[in-house]
Amino acid sequence: MEDYIQYEASDGVATITLNRPDRRNAQNQEFLEQLNAAWERAAADDTARVILLRANGPHFSAGHDITPRAPGDTGPTIMETIPETGLLGLYQWEAKHYLGFSRRWRDIPKPSIAAVQGACIAGGLLLAWPCDLIVAADNARFSDPVVLMGIGGVEYHGHTWELGARKAKELLFTAKPIDAVEAERRGMVNRVVPVAELDAASRTLAIEIAQMHPHALAMAKRAVNQTLDIMGQHTALQACFDIHQLGHASAYAQSGQFVLTGLKGMKAKIA
Ligand code: ZN
């Protein structure tokens, strides 16, 4: 089994590292299940008061692994792992591995910080957005270009909450990335640091927060998340997940595939 995810805990901080740098931390089923296991380990780890999610390599995550199997890669691709039960199977698989995992990480009652460098594309947002804080390297760029595949946005619709309505629409309509400075201006990231300082800056922030009373931190986090949910975030995420599935259904009706082939353009943007 590939070691896609690393876990380490010290100084009150559980550090979860995405460790598939040769594939830009693209996510297959094994990757996501290892990542979820690491989050659950951090949630249960009494020595860990803060969870820091970081990535090995130049890019945080290129998103879901929808490419054909690479030579020497034993892990299944996303499309290979979808059960042969058609659209309902796809719905159930994505409800668990995408919306479900991201929601679970969002609600773990410990503060979490994502440290993001390089590309954070589409499914990459599903790893960063559920974190409470985001520290971005100055070379970070965030995008969701799935309109190029006939889909209206990734499975976890954080866009409008994170960026506001107009910028969310621009991000989706143009398929172009926003950079770290713009993301900070919009409130999507907490701070921007030079890429060489990303690890030190995010760890320093994590250790600072780990000094606080854990129950107070949990309550502070719950207060903000409950406020968002009273504003409708929980049901909006579910509603937009269903809209996402309508995109898959539409693509399937047109082409017999769950996404349309705009894939070439998308891969060009990732490179
Ligand atoms: Zn999907």
Side-chain angles (χ1 to χ4, degrees), residues 94 146 151-155 239-249:
E94 293 200 343
V146 299
I151 309 291
V154 279
E155 291 81 1
C240 292
F241 176 79
D242 288 358
I243 295 169
H244 172 91
Q245 295 302 320
L246 182 61
H248 283 312

Side-chain angles (χ1 to χ4, degrees), residues 19 42 50 54 77 106 134 151 164 183 196 240 246 249:
N19 186 40
V50 176
R54 60 175 300 283
T77 69
R106 184 257 202 194
I134 300 177
I151 309 291
C240 292
L246 182 61

Side-chain angles (χ1 to χ4, degrees), residues 218-229:
M219 289 187 292
K221 173 168 182 166
R222 188 167 172 80
V224 177
N225 283 2
Q226 288 284 85
T227 300
L228 287 169
D229 286 344

Side-chain angles (χ1 to χ4, degrees), residues 64 78-79 82 90 93-94 98 151 153-155 241 244-245 248 258-259:
H64 300 145
I78 290 292
M79 289 304 166
I82 292 169
L90 179 68
W93 193 95
E94 293 200 343
Y98 297 154
I151 309 291
V154 279
E155 291 81 1
F241 176 79
H244 172 91
Q245 295 302 320
H248 283 312
F258 292 118
V259 295

